[in-house]
Amino acid sequence: GAGVSQSPSNKVTEKGKDVELRCDPISGHTALYWYRQSLGQGLEFLIYFQGNSAPDKSGLPSDRFSAERTGGSVSTLTIQRTQQEDSAVYLCASSRMATGLNQPQHFGDGTRLSIL
Amino acid sequence: KQEVTQIPAALSVPEGENLVLNCSFTDSAIYNLQWFRQDPGKGLTSLLLIQSSQREQTSGRLNASLDKSSGRSTLYIAASQPGDSATYLCAVTPSNQFYFGTGTSLTVIP
């Protein structure tokens, strides 16, 4: 498709399990961004990739969170040993090469993660 | 840490009215400021991006201004339409990060 694709659209899992969220950016977009949106916290920036490299990982909430991108395309966000506070909508966006994060971003519809 | 505040949290106006949404931020050392809209159950749509060296940007019925020194931005929507109903978010970029406001939920009544 022409837009940013995220999968799964919904994920329900038990506390303590690991989950992997996937993002397919728009073809040709070199920058990719992950965000988390939860009721109590609003929209939170997690990490962005320029190509396969993430210049700043300090936005990740804890060491249970990791993200990778290979081949300059698909990215996965992995949450290990999930906790109930990880429940949120995880949004992915992509843009053309972003210097100073100054390019318009195109968003996917998100993955709604629920931790029981 | 940068803090971004949006006022009002919710706004309801009759169709055709002009309106202003406000965004304030605590640290003026930013590269740019962006305005987004979010429809229920959807991701964000980028509306306007203002570089730190600019004072305003316009797109159709939307006009966004930026006053870095006072830490403020406004989004002006002219001749509002029911299709403008959504949540509007502003975000500032100090470095390799985005900081978002909590949003203004706009309802335009036909």
Side-chain angles (χ1 to χ4, degrees):
Chain A
V4 176
S5 177
Q6 291 188 246
S7 61
S9 55
N10 286 282
K11 176 73 175 178
V12 180
T13 193
E14 293 179 346
K15 176 183 172 181
K17 300 286 189 182
D18 296 351
V19 295
E20 188 174 277
L21 312 180
R22 176 186 169 104
C23 175
D24 275 285
I26 292 173
S27 178
H29 280 190
T30 57
L32 185 147
Y33 314 79
W34 282 101
Y35 301 88
R36 178 170 72 173
Q37 189 169 34
S38 52
L39 283 177
Q41 301 295 324
L43 194 67
E44 180 184 6
F45 174 72
L46 299 179
I47 192 170
Y48 94 99
F49 289 88
Q50 188 63 271
N52 293 331
S53 174
D56 185 347
K57 299 182 180 181
S58 63
L60 294 174
S62 76
D63 58 8
R64 296 186 294 104
F65 287 72
S66 62
E68 65 175 18
R69 189 180 187 197
T70 55
S73 182
V74 171
S75 176
T76 55
L77 177 69
T78 302
I79 310 173
Q80 296 178 309
R81 304 180 303 281
T82 52
Q83 303 293 316
Q84 288 186 330
E85 62 262 29
D86 299 334
S87 296
V89 176
Y90 289 82
L91 293 166
C92 175
S94 69
S95 73
R96 297 184 187 281
M97 185 176 71
T99 302
L101 302 181
N102 63 354
Q103 292 292 323
Q105 298 174 39
H106 300 262
F107 279 77
D109 288 339
T111 293
R112 184 174 297 276
L113 177 64
S114 300
I115 309 299
L116 302 179
Chain B
K1 179 183 174 181
Q2 178 79 261
E3 292 186 9
V4 183
T5 305
Q6 290 187 247
I7 296 173
L11 181 64
S12 183
V13 300
E15 181 177 3
E17 275 204 4
N18 303 324
L19 59 101
V20 175
L21 307 181
N22 297 290
C23 172
S24 60
F25 47 96
T26 54
D27 187 345
S28 62
I30 62 171
Y31 286 138
N32 60 60
L33 182 145
Q34 297 191 50
W35 283 94
F36 298 87
R37 70 173 278 169
Q38 185 173 29
D39 294 282
K42 298 291 185 180
L44 278 65
T45 300
S46 179
L47 297 174
L48 290 165
L49 184 152
I50 311 176
Q51 303 287 357
S52 62
S53 59
Q54 299 173 323
R55 293 193 65 84
E56 68 176 337
Q57 283 286 331
T58 298
S59 176
R61 295 182 293 106
L62 305 180
N63 176 276
S65 68
L66 174 64
D67 184 342
K68 263 183 56 176
S69 60
S70 66
R72 293 173 189 247
S73 176
T74 61
L75 178 66
Y76 175 83
I77 303 176
S80 58
Q81 302 172 357
D84 295 332
S85 298
T87 296
Y88 290 80
L89 296 153
C90 68
V92 297
T93 308
S95 181
N96 294 321
Q97 297 266 350
F98 281 94
Y99 292 93
F100 282 84
T102 50
T104 293
S105 176
L106 173 66
T107 302
V108 180
I109 304 166

